[in-house]
Amino acid sequence: MNNDVYAQRKKYSKDRLKQLKDPDLIKSRPYWKYISNVTMIEPCHKQWDGLVLQHDDPWWKKHFPPNGSECRCRVTAVRAKEYTGQTAPSD
């Protein structure tokens, strides 16, 4: 992969994280949902698809995309009703 493309993904990720941490958004959507890209070849990324955790769960610090140079996964904010009691997977 081209380093410029990965740098663009990292920048997008940083900007997206800033958006997700907006206090008004957190009030209405306090949970984050991991969405894997269907073309992702890493099994753990597919395993995380649909995972919903509270926005401040420590798991996000290590697993917020991109998780590698080929990662095209993303995170979206969701309402509390989408949280089903999931816990963060162990590494």
Side-chain angles (χ1 to χ4, degrees), residues 2-35:
N2 182 321
N3 285 338
D4 291 337
V5 173
Y6 185 60
Q8 289 173 344
R9 287 187 188 151
K10 292 291 280 185
K11 166 112 174 60
Y12 171 82
S13 176
K14 182 178 178 182
D15 292 344
R16 181 65 179 142
L17 185 58
K18 184 177 177 182
Q19 290 173 341
L20 289 169
K21 288 187 172 184
D22 178 89
D24 292 332
L25 181 60
I26 288 175
K27 284 180 191 173
S28 65
R29 297 173 183 255
Y31 293 87
W32 291 353
K33 183 177 188 176
Y34 194 98
I35 302 168

